[in-house]
Amino acid sequence: MSFPNESSAYRTARNALLDAEIALRRQTEAVAAMRRALPPGGEVPEDFVFERIGANFRPEQVRMSELFGDFPTILIYSYMFGPERDVPCPGCTHLLDCIEGAARHVPQRAPLYVVARSPVARLAAWAHARGWNHLELLSTAGNDYSAHYYGNTAALTPAMRAQRGYGEDENWDEPMLNVFHKDGDTIRHFWGSELVFAPEDAGQHHRGLDFADAVWGLLDTTPEGRGDTFFPKVTYGQAAS
């Protein structure tokens, strides 16, 4: 194919890029196949109790086993919005802005939840203010889910802490997507976005969920790219944060 007035040099370079894009798509599909073929993961250590806003708009408790409904698989994203934060992490927030649209569709095959350590009423108020009508937010306040599944740095091993220069008592929220599979009464961990915690790769950012992030994907199509200084904010303008 060709576009109006393009040069032969452009078309040659674009065709080479197209070959690379096709190879990348094949690699993406191959990685997805490897993920689907993973053997059973570890059984969850307990039936974690979360808190959510119930049908009567009052907080209610819900067990992890109840989150599946009639589905065998659930997705849980750990949101960096603990009670010590005045505003949530802008990186997590812009990602969830992207996922909000997908949250109309993903639960048709697998329920999707967002968890954070703040009280559930605070999470519900934030979701309402943000215009999130399809993301379901749960509170992990009072349970150990985050410590087991890398929703905070408490789960890091001493070696991982040393590699990153973290102090023994330095703990904060971390972004993490985890997938769980239920077979009968047994719930097992299936996959987690471990790329976030992988050893540093020269010239690479530690982001682990670019496949779900429309912001970076769209910017990657522009001549300017993602840039070296831009990072999404919770708000823009004078009140930007």
Side-chain angles (χ1 to χ4, degrees):
M1 62 188 300
S2 63
F3 293 95
N5 301 317
E6 66 180 28
S7 67
S8 59
Y10 174 89
R11 179 46 44 192
T12 298
R14 181 62 187 95
N15 285 344
L17 173 60
L18 181 59
D19 289 340
E21 290 171 341
I22 292 170
L24 178 60
R25 183 174 62 188
R26 287 175 178 160
Q27 177 66 10
T28 298
E29 293 175 353
V31 169
M34 290 175 65
R35 186 182 298 116
R36 292 192 298 271
L38 284 170
E43 186 174 349
V44 298
E46 61 182 281
D47 195 1
F48 298 105
V49 178
F50 301 90
E51 195 167 58
R52 67 182 176 189
I53 296 296
N56 60 353
F57 299 103
R58 294 180 180 274
E60 66 178 21
Q61 292 185 335
V62 57
R63 292 190 174 276
M64 187 177 196
S65 57
E66 298 173 303
L67 297 178
F68 289 82
D70 296 328
F71 293 91
T73 302
I74 60 173
L75 299 88
I76 300 180
Y77 178 76
S78 292
Y79 187 20
M80 296 173 66
F81 190 17
E84 74 284 353
R85 292 177 179 268
D86 293 331
V87 293
C89 165
C92 289
T93 301
H94 96 268
L95 176 62
L96 292 176
D97 285 340
C98 298
I99 294 176
E100 160 66 14
R104 285 177 176 264
H105 310 286
V106 173
Q108 304 305 311
R109 288 184 58 81
L112 170 64
Y113 302 95
V114 177
V115 302
R117 292 187 301 108
S118 283
V120 69
R122 187 186 192 211
L123 299 178
W126 174 255
H128 177 74
R130 197 72 187 174
W132 293 341
N133 297 315
H134 302 97
L135 289 171
E136 184 168 356
L137 276 68
L138 308 175
S139 175
T140 60
N143 74 28
D144 293 327
Y145 171 84
S146 294
H148 284 288
Y149 291 102
Y150 295 88
N152 61 34
T153 54
L156 299 184
T157 64
M160 293 171 73
R161 285 182 175 276
Q163 184 182 61
R164 290 161 177 76
Y166 296 167
E168 183 177 348
D169 297 322
E170 291 181 312
N171 287 309
W172 49 81
D173 299 334
E174 288 283 358
M176 187 72 172
L177 176 64
N178 284 293
V179 181
F180 298 89
H181 185 76
K182 187 170 181 281
D183 185 6
D185 294 329
T186 302
I187 302 173
R188 294 183 180 276
H189 184 254
F190 172 73
W191 176 87
S193 53
E194 297 179 30
L195 190 58
V196 171
F197 297 101
E200 292 292 334
D201 188 10
Q204 296 291 304
H205 194 280
H206 72 280
R207 290 186 302 266
L209 290 172
D210 275 14
F211 61 82
D213 195 324
V215 173
W216 300 128
L218 289 171
L219 289 178
D220 278 347
T221 68
T222 68
E224 298 78 17
R226 304 181 182 197
D228 296 326
T229 59
F230 171 75
F231 195 80
K233 301 180 185 301
V234 174
T235 56
Y236 296 93
Q238 290 185 342
S241 58

